[in-house]
């Protein structure tokens, strides 16, 4: 069986001053300690990327942005391109987070344009999908997830090739920032569905290698049970990523 390297990713959203971000990066860097088989990633606000990159120094932390524009440059006031993110030191970019989808009207078509641009540049996309409470309660979870996957990854489908470096994240909207975590069984059920979608759409080899992160109120108390599920390969963490005291234990989830 293919061993997928677990990833613990912190999405800082629109939080922290530059000083706080640098201090947190340093705390995470030293908190990793002797854990060598877990990838750690942080996604600060755009304005903090360069300072956080410097603070990462020699520590094994990957740097991501929380969003990007699909064009390389041009008259797009207020936007940031993938190339600019790479210049700031990013290797990854979170795309299609539910807050982008619901608060900023980002459709899966728009997410797909961004996925195309990121892949073209060699930036690793962390593509987020997830259903709302209403969709779950009306038994539409799988239909919604399938539609988001189909459209957000339309380019990969057209080429019949999905890079195994692509990372997916299942984030049930009803569990984000609400304190309500999907149970490990609820999350695993959707992760399995996503992996099967990858297998059917691409190959079983790709499905075995692509990591699927879970996001939604992950904290030190529930991380181990989630990570024990066979198809959960990591966590995309909001609230608990803002403090070293709660983020570092996630990296050490096996000891929880
Ligand atoms: P949360 O956010 O951990 O605060 O629920 C998760 C996310 O939005 O990525």
């Amino acid at each position: 069986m293919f061993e997928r390297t677990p990833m613990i990713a912190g999405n800082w959203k629109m939080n922290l001053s530059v000083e706080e971000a640098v201090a947190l990066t340093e705390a995470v860097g030293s908190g990793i300690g002797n854990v060598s088989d877990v990838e750690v990633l942080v996604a600060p606000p755009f304005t903090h990327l360069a300072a956080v990159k410097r603070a990462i120094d020699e520590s094994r932390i990957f740097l991501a942005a929380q969003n990007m524009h699909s064009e390389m440059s041009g008259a797009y006031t207020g936007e940031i391109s993938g190339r600019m993110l790479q210049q700031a030191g990013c290797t990854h970019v979170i795309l299609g987070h539910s807050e982008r989808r619901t608060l900023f009207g980002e459709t899966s078509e728009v997410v797909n344009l961004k996925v195309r641009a990121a892949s073209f540049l060699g930036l690793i996309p962390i593509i987020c999908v997830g259903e709302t409470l209403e969709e779950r309660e009306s038994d539409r979870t799988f239909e919604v997830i399938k539609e988001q996957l189909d459209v957000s990854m339309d380019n990969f489908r057209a080429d019949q090739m999905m890079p195994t470096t692509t990372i997916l994240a299942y984030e049930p909207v009803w569990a984000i920032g609400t304190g309500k975590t999907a149970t490990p069984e609820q999350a695993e059920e959707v992760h399995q569905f996503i992996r099967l979608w990858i297998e059917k759409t691409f190959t079983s080899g790709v499905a075995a290698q692509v990591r699927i992160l879970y996001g939604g109120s992950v904290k030190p108390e529930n991380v181990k049970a989630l990570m024990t599920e066979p198809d959960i390969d990591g966590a995309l963490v909001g609230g608990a990523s803002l403090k070293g005291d709660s983020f570092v234990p996630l990296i050490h989830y096996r000891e929880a």
Side-chain angles (χ1 to χ4, degrees), residues 15-249:
N15 292 299
L16 306 175
S17 67
V18 181
E19 292 75 18
E20 287 166 339
V22 166
L24 178 55
T25 307
E26 288 166 355
V28 172
S30 55
I32 293 176
N34 56 10
V35 177
S36 58
D37 54 352
V38 175
E39 286 187 4
V40 179
L41 174 145
V42 296
F46 290 134
T47 49
H48 301 8
L49 288 170
V52 168
K53 176 67 187 165
R54 282 192 296 276
I56 284 174
D57 194 24
E58 295 293 293
S59 58
R60 291 164 289 117
I61 303 177
F62 291 104
L63 186 65
Q66 302 169 15
N67 181 32
M68 63 178 247
H69 194 271
S70 55
E71 293 295 328
M72 298 296 148
S73 63
Y76 301 99
T77 302
E79 292 292 328
I80 307 276
S81 74
R83 196 160 270 155
M84 291 168 181
L85 298 181
Q86 288 178 309
Q87 285 163 2
C90 291
T91 48
H92 296 62
V93 60
I94 299 172
L95 295 177
H97 188 278
S98 69
E99 284 150 20
R100 300 292 323 161
R101 291 176 188 265
T102 56
L103 303 174
F104 303 99
E106 229 175 81
T107 61
S108 290
E109 284 80 5
V110 170
V111 175
N112 183 238
L113 293 176
K114 298 181 179 194
V115 170
R116 283 170 197 258
S119 316
F120 173 78
L121 289 167
L123 258 176
I124 298 178
I126 302 176
I127 305 168
C128 304
V129 296
E131 81 288 1
T132 62
L133 185 60
E134 193 198 340
E135 289 161 345
R136 172 162 283 264
E137 285 178 343
S138 55
D139 271 337
R140 294 180 50 229
T141 299
F142 295 125
E143 177 196 327
V144 169
I145 302 282
K146 180 180 184 312
E147 162 85 14
Q148 289 175 345
L149 292 169
D150 278 346
V151 181
S152 305
M153 294 201 273
D154 190 40
N155 55 317
F156 296 155
R157 290 199 308 142
D159 297 346
Q160 296 207 314
M161 249 177 67
M162 176 177 180
T164 51
T165 45
T166 301
I167 297 171
L168 296 180
Y170 169 54
E171 299 208 308
V173 179
W174 49 272
I176 296 178
T178 57
K180 282 188 203 155
T181 326
T183 63
E185 296 74 28
Q186 278 174 322
E188 171 63 17
E189 193 185 22
V190 180
H191 281 236
Q192 257 177 30
F193 175 83
I194 295 173
R195 203 171 302 286
L196 197 62
W197 178 87
I198 303 172
E199 189 177 325
K200 282 195 211 143
T201 314
F202 305 97
T203 63
S204 53
V206 174
Q209 290 177 69
V210 167
R211 286 174 292 179
I212 309 171
L213 315 183
Y214 169 78
S217 300
V218 176
K219 37 189 183 281
E221 300 80 62
N222 59 23
V223 66
K224 192 174 183 180
L226 288 160
M227 292 298 288
T228 305
E229 296 292 341
D231 290 292
I232 300 183
D233 307 311
L236 181 53
V237 188
S241 72
L242 295 173
K243 289 207 167 85
D245 287 354
S246 44
F247 191 65
V248 170

